[in-house]
């Protein structure tokens, strides 16, 4: 890492720990800081980005219609401020994925393809300074007590970008693990490395917890952080029970560093780094899709950008007292909302992934070790269950009853459920998801 990048990491680290946004103690102070930061950022971005300049002309930024990943890809060339072309950036990212050599850059810029589960994959450009700033902010939020003391960090990632591998330091030793390597290789390497901080997707952490229970894995990390996938409460409980809680979480996407847990283990949005406006999906249930306005990223600005995630607001304030919005969960993508035929006979009832999860876990009871739930057709689901054989029949009956009660509550016809064995986390090139909709969204729903 160059001296300049090192200084940028440190500056971002200090800003995330002690900057004016991080110091804000009330919601009003935080929002006043955000408003100033966005105005300052727009003065830098708009002269350089013809796309945003047109969009933001003559109206208040907070009310500009949001864009989506599709808009960002369609207008990539005149949206980014580095003069990069969509075709050359995609070609470079695809070459890197095929060769698994992620070091080439586009005139110094890191290019990443996000692992989109549906539709087009996102394309992201990041400058060295932005990479360093991300690393500094992430360290500030993730290191135990936020202190730059000697740490050994084991970091599992899908190696589809060199975004993360920029962090190196004498104080902190990093070991990067490719998720595509086999589990026994991870266990052997972890036992030798003995991390103080373990960071990886929940499916991997759940498998490691299982290895630790079987005494094959003997590490004792001081902190465990889940990233990159929806954290299912079932996995969170198993991981925390094995490694000592609370299980921490980072909410991170190629679109930005969006949230992290506080010392109490509550996930807070990083509203000192970006604005997150709610697009309410169900305000009564506290569920919204976030509209992001990042006030640091310049290469590929993220302004009034709607992310296809479902976030659930935490019902009670966090004891830490932070004015940053606290979340109960990042529960999945809007693409994974189930559509069941409405009980009224026409139209559809929407069922959030978290409601499916709760029904399966309540029905499965303490014997449930793992599951996947998939909507396969308008009135059909498939549920894979990992339960002891003696408990299977009762678990299936109880889950069907819990789903029927849920459907009554939301005004839907209860689905036909096909049960099968399975439900254990799978490591692979795709994200592991427990709740998935395979059926396309119905027309007009
Ligand atoms: Zn908190």
């Amino acid at each position: 890492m160059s001296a300049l990048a090192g200084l940028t990491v440190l500056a971002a680290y200090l800003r995330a720990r002690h900057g004016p946004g991080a110091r804000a103690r009330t919601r009003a102070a935080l929002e006043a800081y955000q408003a100033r930061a966005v105005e300052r950022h727009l003065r830098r971005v708009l002269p350089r980005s013809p796309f945003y300049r047109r969009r933001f002309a003559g109206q208040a930024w907070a009310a500009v219609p949001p864009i989506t990943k599709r808009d960002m890809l369609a207008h990539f060339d005149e949206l980014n401020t580095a003069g990069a072309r969509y075709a050359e950036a995609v070609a470079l990212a695809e070459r890197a994925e095929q060769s698994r050599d992620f070091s080439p850059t586009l005139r110094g810029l890191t290019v990443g393809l996000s692992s989109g589960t549906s539709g087009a994959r996102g394309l992201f450009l990041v400058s060295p300074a932005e990479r360093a700033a991300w690393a500094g902010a992430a360290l500030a939020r993730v290191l135990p007590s936020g202190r730059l003391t000697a740490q050994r960090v084991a970091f599992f990632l899908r190696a589809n970008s060199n975004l993360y591998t920029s962090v190196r330091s004498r104080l902190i030793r990093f070991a990067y693990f490719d998720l595509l390597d086999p589990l026994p290789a991870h266990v052997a390497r972890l036992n030798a490395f003995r991390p103080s901080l373990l960071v990886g997707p929940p499916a991997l952490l759940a498998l490691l917890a299982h290895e630790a229970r079987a005494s094959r894995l003997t590490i004792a990390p001081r902190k465990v952080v889940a990233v990159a996938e929806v954290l299912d409460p079932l996995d969170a409980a198993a991981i925390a029970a094995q490694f000592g809680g609370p299980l921490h979480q980072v909410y991170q996407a190629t679109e930005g560093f969006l949230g992290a847990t506080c010392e109490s283990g509550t996930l807070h949005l990083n509203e000192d780094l970006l604005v997150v406006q709610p697009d309410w999906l169900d305000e009564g249930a506290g569920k919204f899709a976030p509209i992001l306005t990042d006030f640091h990223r310049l290469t590929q600005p993220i302004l009034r950008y709607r992310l296809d995630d479902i976030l659930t607001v935490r019902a009670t304030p966090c004891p830490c007292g932070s004015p940053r919005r606290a979340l109960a969960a990042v529960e999945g993508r809007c693409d994974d909302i189930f559509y069941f035929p409405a009980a009224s006979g026409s139209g559809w009832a929407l069922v959030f992934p978290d409601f499916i999860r709760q029904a399966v876990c309540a029905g499965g009871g303490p014997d449930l070790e793992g599951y996947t739930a998939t909507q396969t057709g308008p009135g059909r689901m498939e549920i894979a269950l990992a339960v002891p054989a003696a408990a299977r029949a009762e678990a299936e009956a109880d889950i069907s009853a819990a789903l029927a009660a849920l459907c009554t509550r939301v005004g839907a016809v209860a689905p036909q459920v096909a049960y099968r064995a399975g439900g254990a986390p799978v490591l692979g090139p795709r994200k592991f998801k427990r709740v998935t909709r395979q059926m396309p969204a119905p027309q007009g729903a």
Side-chain angles (χ1 to χ4, degrees):
M1 184 164 67
S2 72
L4 185 61
L7 284 176
T8 312
V9 170
L10 187 62
Y13 173 88
L14 293 173
R15 185 171 65 208
R17 296 285 297 164
H18 309 293
R23 275 203 321 270
R25 284 287 154 263
T26 64
R27 192 72 206 169
L30 179 62
E31 287 177 3
Y33 166 73
Q34 288 181 323
R36 288 194 304 276
V38 171
E39 293 294 348
R40 190 168 56 231
H41 190 57
L42 289 177
R43 286 196 293 275
R44 295 176 70 206
V45 170
L46 298 189
R48 295 173 165 91
S49 168
F51 172 78
Y52 281 126
R53 189 160 64 243
R54 277 199 309 277
R55 257 190 116 70
F56 280 66
Q59 52 181 329
W61 68 267
V64 172
I67 60 168
T68 62
K69 183 161 74 181
R70 194 182 301 271
D71 302 313
M72 185 158 263
L73 293 175
H75 301 281
F76 185 85
D77 292 4
E78 52 169 11
L79 182 149
N80 82 80
T81 65
R85 303 269 161 214
Y86 177 80
E88 59 175 349
V90 165
L92 183 127
E94 284 179 346
R95 267 201 311 279
E97 285 212 329
Q98 272 156 25
S99 65
R100 297 197 75 67
D101 171 10
F102 297 97
S103 55
T105 59
L106 187 67
R107 297 188 292 281
L109 302 173
T110 300
V111 182
L113 276 172
S114 68
S115 51
T117 47
S118 64
R121 302 171 71 188
L123 180 65
F124 290 90
L125 284 181
V126 187
S127 72
E130 286 166 336
R131 274 171 68 181
W134 173 88
L139 287 174
R141 290 286 141 82
V142 170
L143 287 181
S145 317
R147 280 197 300 272
L148 277 170
T149 50
Q151 297 285 345
R152 305 167 67 77
V153 184
F155 197 163
F156 286 80
L157 64 157
R158 249 169 221 89
N160 58 2
S161 163
N162 54 9
L163 172 61
Y164 308 110
T165 51
S166 55
V167 190
R168 292 183 208 291
S169 121
R170 268 171 306 199
L171 218 48
I172 306 173
R173 277 197 58 196
F174 283 88
Y176 294 97
F177 293 71
D178 187 335
L179 276 172
L180 294 184
D181 290 342
L183 188 64
H186 292 325
V187 170
R189 225 182 122 199
L190 283 169
N191 283 336
F193 183 66
R194 313 206 69 75
S196 57
L197 178 58
L198 173 62
V199 184
L204 180 272
L205 297 177
L207 290 170
L208 291 181
H210 187 265
E211 292 299 295
R213 246 190 328 277
S215 304
R216 288 185 289 270
L217 181 67
T218 56
I219 59 172
R222 286 168 54 201
K223 187 170 178 181
V224 181
V225 183
V227 292
E229 284 169 3
V230 170
L231 175 60
D232 193 285
L234 187 72
D235 295 317
I239 296 161
Q242 188 58 43
F243 293 115
L247 174 61
H248 285 269
Q249 203 177 347
V250 159
Y251 176 30
Q252 149 77 22
T254 30
E255 287 88 348
F257 177 37
L258 307 177
T261 40
C262 66
E263 312 261 313
S264 313
T266 302
L267 186 61
H268 291 273
L269 292 169
N270 286 332
E271 291 173 293
D272 56 326
L273 306 175
L274 75 174
V275 175
V276 184
Q277 294 163 293
D279 178 5
W280 293 107
L281 304 166
D282 181 342
E283 191 161 3
K287 295 183 189 300
F288 67 95
I291 299 172
L292 311 177
T293 300
D294 185 302
F295 40 80
H296 295 292
R297 279 172 75 158
L298 184 61
T299 309
Q300 184 173 359
I302 305 281
L303 303 174
R304 292 282 296 159
Y305 178 101
R306 186 188 187 276
L307 201 60
D308 190 38
D309 279 357
I310 308 164
L311 311 188
T312 310
V313 175
R314 188 183 144 104
T316 52
C318 179
C320 79
S322 168
R324 301 196 286 268
R325 194 193 284 275
L327 300 179
V330 178
E331 67 170 273
R333 312 285 286 185
C334 296
D335 288 344
D336 291 318
I337 295 174
F338 284 19
Y339 291 88
F340 290 144
S344 64
S346 73
W348 301 89
L350 274 61
V351 184
F352 287 99
D354 198 39
F355 294 163
I356 299 291
R357 181 172 295 137
Q358 285 170 19
V360 174
C361 288
D367 290 328
L368 186 67
E369 290 160 12
Y371 75 94
T372 57
T374 310
Q375 182 173 18
T376 50
R380 287 201 311 280
M381 279 178 68
E382 183 184 272
I383 298 180
L385 290 180
V387 284
R392 173 165 293 273
E394 191 185 345
E396 291 180 3
D398 289 351
I399 290 170
S400 289
L403 285 170
L406 166 63
C407 287
T408 303
R409 186 155 63 87
V410 300
V413 178
Q416 300 260 330
V417 184
Y419 289 96
R420 64 176 179 84
V426 179
L427 293 185
R430 298 180 71 90
K431 293 186 180 193
F432 175 71
K433 291 202 292 184
R434 292 203 180 276
V435 181
T436 318
R437 170 163 54 79
Q438 274 177 0
M439 180 189 82
Q443 293 285 322

